[in-house]
């Protein structure tokens, strides 16, 4: 019985010892939970025939971007969602997570590429593949920024 008591005491000590956190790890964890600070915000609009796309881009302190995008494509339900990504030179690569306004129970996620050129953002066309439910641009295949429908011009951000 005495040995059993010591074994239980040993397990309790080990349990308390494992609860102690390293201060550096704790600081790292808190930094990850802190929201990134928005450094600047820019709004854009693209018009093509009867289509309108509104885009709001927040540049974060970390260099990444986040924002909102609403696609109003003629004779299709509106796509409403968020973007998140970063710049690679003059190319903005983002993930667009959105819902169709006609069916808000299903969330979609697609990659998008924008080229920043002469004060505009140009939405590129590229070959995409889907593997295990994730859609991505095919590696090694170029993204076309010449034969495109949507060229975004800077607009004033709407007040909320």
């Amino acid at each position: 019985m005495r040995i059993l008591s010591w074994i239980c005491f040993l397990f309790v000590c080990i349990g308390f010892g494992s609860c102690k956190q390293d201060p550096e790890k704790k600081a790292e964890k808190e930094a990850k939970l802190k929201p990134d600070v928005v450094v600047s915000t820019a709004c854009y609009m693209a018009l093509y025939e009867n289509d309108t796309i509104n885009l709001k881009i927040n540049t974060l302190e970390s260099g990444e971007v986040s924002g909102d995008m609403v696609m109003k494509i003629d004779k299709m339900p509106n796509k409403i969602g968020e973007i998140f990504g970063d710049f690679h030179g003059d190319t903005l690569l983002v993930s667009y997570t959105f819902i169709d306004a006609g069916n808000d129970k299903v969330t979609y996620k697609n990659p998008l590429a924008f080229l920043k050129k002469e004060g505009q953002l140009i939405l590129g066309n590229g070959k995409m593949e889907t593997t295990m439910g994730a859609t991505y641009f095919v590696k090694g295949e170029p993204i076309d920024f010449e034969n495109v429908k949507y060229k975004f011009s800077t607009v004033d951000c709407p007040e909320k």
Side-chain angles (χ1 to χ4, degrees):
M1 185 71 170
R2 197 171 189 194
I3 294 174
L4 184 60
S5 297
W6 278 105
I7 292 173
C8 289
F9 177 72
L10 181 65
F11 279 123
V12 169
C13 289
I14 291 171
F16 281 123
S18 66
C19 290
K20 183 179 174 185
Q21 273 194 341
D22 182 17
E24 288 180 14
K25 287 183 181 178
K26 188 176 183 181
E28 282 179 30
K29 190 183 265 187
E30 288 174 359
K32 287 180 183 177
L33 296 176
K34 227 187 270 184
D36 218 344
V37 177
V38 175
V39 176
S40 65
T41 300
C43 293
Y44 297 88
M45 179 186 284
L47 300 170
Y48 178 79
E49 295 176 354
N50 294 327
D51 303 346
T52 303
I53 303 176
N54 292 300
L55 174 64
K56 178 180 177 183
I57 296 178
N58 300 312
T59 303
L60 306 177
E61 194 173 50
S62 66
E64 296 175 318
V65 297
S66 67
D68 304 308
M69 190 161 85
V70 178
M71 299 178 84
K72 298 175 182 176
I73 309 300
D74 192 33
K75 298 179 181 146
M76 292 180 68
N78 292 348
K79 293 177 174 64
I80 303 164
E82 298 176 338
I83 62 164
F84 189 80
D86 55 2
F87 273 98
H88 298 267
D90 58 357
T91 305
L92 174 60
L93 299 174
V94 297
S95 178
Y96 179 42
T97 305
F98 64 96
I99 59 168
D100 277 334
N103 179 11
D104 61 357
K105 300 201 185 321
V106 179
T107 302
Y108 301 94
K109 191 172 187 177
N110 284 333
L112 298 175
F114 297 91
L115 178 65
K116 191 168 194 172
K117 184 177 178 181
E118 298 171 2
Q120 290 185 318
L121 285 178
I122 302 167
L123 180 60
N125 298 314
K127 187 174 181 182
M128 292 191 215
E129 285 184 347
T130 303
T131 302
M132 296 176 55
T135 304
Y136 56 91
F137 287 111
V138 175
K139 192 170 187 167
E141 291 286 329
I143 297 173
D144 179 19
F145 293 104
E146 296 296 322
N147 303 310
V148 296
K149 291 182 184 179
Y150 304 112
K151 293 184 179 184
F152 292 79
S153 298
T154 306
V155 295
D156 291 334
C157 292
E159 305 247 346
K160 286 191 176 185

